[in-house]
Amino acid sequence: MNSKEVISSGLLESYVLGTASAEETALVNRLCREHPELVKEIEAIEESLIHFSSQVSPSLNKALKDKIASGLTFDAEESPVAKVISIKNETEGRLTIYKLGIAASLLLFLTSLMYNVQLNHKLSRVSGELAELNAAKSYLAEELKVQQASLKTMVSEIQILADPKVKTIALNGMNVLEKKSAMIHMNMETSEVYFNASALPAAPTAKQYQLWAIVDGKPVDAGMIDMNSTASVFQKMKSIKGAQAFAVTIENMGGSPVPTMETMCLLGNV
Amino acid sequence: MATKQTYTQDELIILIREKNQKAFSYLYDNYSQALFGVINGIINNVEESEDVLQKTFLKIWNNFSTYDSEKGRLYTWMLNIGRNLAIDSTRSKHEKIRSKIQSTSESVYKFENNLRAEDNKYDSIGLSAILNTLKEEHKSIIDLAYFEGYTQEEISKKLNLPLGTVKTKVRQALLKLRELSKKEIIS
């Protein structure tokens, strides 16, 4: 097909109108490379169409251009390469590919950098969480140990109480501890004595409760009562054989070899 | 305006790829009116057409990587985008599928009617001069091929003319337009 035939065929018109098929478009592109005058013809068709629809167009709102521009993103910098556009096509192509390559690798680099930063963030957050979890875990393990110990104590206390040879002795309050009471559990066979101080108020400052066993009408020291012990309800006191009664006095810290009778606050017979 | 820069299509393509603001400005200055004419020819409502024109430029700008100069002219590509968005907009508005084959497309006639309306914004002298010199068959050919985007096969079916005749008529109609635009530039 020579260029005159192409021009008169109507192919170029449908090419510009966008209604040519893919094969026709490829044909026009090829013909344009062979016959540069066809490009001029195409441009003339395009120009006349642009001119025509511009003529029949209502006038455009002057503000529309800025409005549209505000919705678009522009390259902030005036690229210097953009000004070298008049060099030959092939160079342009290569330059563009080169620039695209740089842009793509830069983008890739930035993306991976951002990704790394994000990952790092995530990592430190996760390690923080892990440390917290570990702390919580060791706290719970400690707590479990304490609970197990306390359970063990309770079990042994229950065993003490469940023993038929153990007798419970109520000590009645008097003087400062009027209306209060305490318990003693005594194994009648082994003479082991356990004191239950859970219902007693704290001793006055710098003072301590001291337990006495009355053996043959005489008071015998049965040990100091530790009010700070939280591990168990029972405290094991000294084993006293043949006790007929028990009494508690308030003594200076560390106790007294003989009871101060005026401070006696609990008393009970076996 | 004498110093106004002109770019070849190849130069322009490079600049748009770089998202150069001047390239947008150039595109808008040179093509917006023509695209607006086509869009409004389909929609026939200035306000809606402005919306569609905005969408058209947004799509041109953001989807420029999909433009392939081997598949056609830059203007043709932009024209297709504008045309399709305009057709979509009329479809979604009226919620009816417009059947290409059966619809009565009267965009060019609408211009004439609008011209007769008292309050018209058109360049009436230039436009009526153009329209009056076009034969009826050229008007409908231009309307179908340019504004509605009908292929020559579709025009041939619609107007019940042999494909060869349609090809000739499209060419004649566009030649007529070229003649007219030349005349106007001279006058």
Side-chain angles (χ1 to χ4, degrees):
Chain A
M1 226 193 295
N2 67 39
S3 57
K4 277 226 172 70
E5 282 168 346
V6 177
I7 288 170
S8 60
S9 70
L11 184 57
L12 301 182
E13 280 79 7
S14 68
Y15 176 81
V16 176
L17 286 165
T19 57
S21 68
E23 294 78 31
E24 288 171 330
T25 303
L27 175 67
V28 172
N29 284 336
R30 189 166 53 76
L31 291 170
C32 281
R33 280 190 280 272
E34 287 165 18
H35 311 281
E37 67 269 24
L38 290 182
V39 179
K40 292 239 160 22
E41 183 70 16
I42 285 171
E43 283 172 351
I45 294 168
E46 183 179 283
E47 232 165 77
S48 67
L49 285 175
I50 290 172
H51 183 79
F52 172 70
S53 59
S54 302
Q55 285 296 306
V56 300
S57 167
S59 55
L60 271 170
N61 186 339
K62 291 265 184 291
L64 194 59
K65 184 177 178 182
D66 287 339
K67 190 183 165 202
I68 291 176
S70 69
L72 306 179
T73 47
F74 297 112
D75 187 5
E77 275 172 65
E78 280 271 336
S79 157
V81 182
K83 299 208 168 63
V84 200
I85 44 172
S86 49
I87 46 173
K88 286 292 150 221
N89 256 345
E90 259 182 74
T91 325
E92 280 165 10
R94 251 185 277 132
L95 263 177
T96 317
I97 287 164
Y98 182 55
K99 285 188 67 188
L100 271 175
I102 291 178
S105 43
L106 205 65
L107 189 71
L108 197 67
F109 173 70
L110 285 176
T111 316
S112 88
L113 198 69
M114 266 169 58
Y115 188 61
N116 263 310
V117 168
Q118 260 184 351
L119 270 185
N120 233 320
H121 256 268
K122 216 174 183 177
L123 188 65
S124 64
R125 208 184 61 221
V126 169
S127 5
E129 279 168 9
L130 189 65
E132 269 174 46
L133 283 174
N134 269 332
K137 188 185 140 211
S138 50
Y139 170 78
L140 284 174
E142 281 302 307
E143 189 74 356
L144 184 65
K145 261 188 223 165
V146 171
Q147 295 297 334
Q148 277 174 337
S150 123
L151 186 65
K152 220 171 163 183
T153 315
M154 277 174 70
V155 167
S156 64
E157 283 171 354
I158 288 168
Q159 277 171 346
I160 292 165
L161 287 178
D163 191 331
K165 294 183 283 292
V166 170
K167 186 179 178 185
T168 299
I169 302 151
L171 301 183
N172 298 313
M174 57 178 67
N175 300 329
V176 291
L177 289 190
E178 212 182 349
K179 292 180 186 165
K180 299 275 178 191
S181 63
M183 299 281 209
I184 280 178
H185 306 287
M186 187 179 176
N187 188 314
M188 301 309 281
E189 200 175 278
T190 61
S191 300
E192 280 170 342
V193 173
Y194 300 91
F195 189 87
N196 181 346
S198 59
L200 286 188
T205 324
K207 302 279 181 183
Q208 227 177 340
Y209 295 112
Q210 187 168 4
L211 181 69
W212 303 91
I214 314 297
V215 183
D216 295 332
K218 287 193 181 113
V220 179
D221 172 39
M224 306 306 294
I225 294 163
D226 180 9
M227 294 300 289
N228 297 320
S229 166
T230 51
S232 59
V233 177
F234 294 173
Q235 282 176 48
K236 191 160 193 257
M237 310 306 289
K238 292 177 182 168
S239 300
I240 309 284
K241 278 203 174 2
Q244 289 128 16
F246 287 96
V248 171
T249 59
I250 298 172
E251 305 291 348
N252 288 328
M253 295 294 280
S256 164
V258 286
T260 314
M261 294 313 284
E262 298 81 54
T263 63
M264 187 189 286
C265 52
L266 290 166
L267 182 66
N269 291 321
V270 173
Chain B
M1 287 304 224
T3 56
K4 199 174 165 185
Q5 196 169 2
T6 55
Y7 296 114
T8 67
Q9 179 177 285
D10 290 339
E11 290 168 344
L12 195 55
I13 288 167
I14 290 169
L15 287 173
I16 299 171
R17 283 208 186 111
E18 290 175 344
K19 303 257 179 231
N20 181 301
Q21 185 154 8
K22 275 185 191 161
F24 164 72
S25 195
Y26 184 87
L27 265 190
Y28 190 88
D29 293 344
N30 286 276
Y31 302 109
S32 63
Q33 196 77 62
L35 293 172
F36 194 55
V38 173
I39 290 166
N40 190 61
I42 294 165
I43 297 179
N44 200 29
N45 174 312
V46 172
E47 220 168 280
E48 278 173 44
S49 299
E50 281 179 352
D51 280 351
V52 171
L53 184 69
Q54 182 167 13
K55 280 183 199 152
T56 304
F57 271 100
L58 195 70
K59 202 163 180 183
I60 289 170
W61 203 251
N62 293 341
N63 294 10
F64 196 71
S65 57
T66 64
Y67 170 66
D68 177 0
S69 59
E70 279 299 303
K71 294 200 175 134
R73 300 281 297 170
L74 176 59
Y75 178 68
T76 306
W77 183 70
M78 298 194 296
L79 171 67
N80 259 323
I81 290 176
R83 217 155 41 184
N84 289 337
L85 286 174
I87 290 168
D88 284 352
S89 131
T90 56
R91 270 183 191 157
S92 59
K93 194 186 169 200
H94 302 298
E95 287 181 350
K96 63 179 182 192
I97 313 282
R98 161 184 163 281
S99 156
K100 266 192 170 185
I101 307 301
Q102 288 166 0
S103 77
T104 45
S105 50
E106 300 177 310
S107 306
V108 174
Y109 304 104
K110 280 182 211 148
F111 297 133
E112 288 184 310
N113 294 337
N114 283 338
L115 279 175
R116 287 182 203 109
E118 281 177 52
D119 180 28
N120 75 71
K121 298 172 191 162
Y122 305 108
D123 168 18
S124 359
I125 299 164
L127 179 62
S128 48
I130 294 171
L131 290 175
N132 287 339
T133 38
L134 281 178
K135 281 191 212 162
E136 282 300 309
E137 59 172 7
H138 288 156
K139 280 181 200 166
S140 63
I141 290 275
I142 290 167
D143 183 39
L144 292 172
Y146 186 28
F147 288 79
E148 311 275 334
Y150 277 56
T151 64
Q152 295 180 337
E153 285 80 4
E154 284 169 332
I155 295 174
S156 135
K157 264 187 211 162
K158 185 172 167 59
L159 300 183
N160 214 3
L161 291 170
L163 184 58
T165 313
V166 171
K167 283 184 177 170
T168 314
K169 285 193 186 296
V170 168
R171 176 157 164 75
Q172 281 171 352
L174 295 198
L175 279 175
K176 195 77 194 166
L177 284 189
R178 275 163 80 173
E179 239 172 72
L180 288 170
S181 68
K182 265 183 215 152
K183 260 188 211 161
E184 210 169 281
I185 289 161
I186 292 162
S187 65

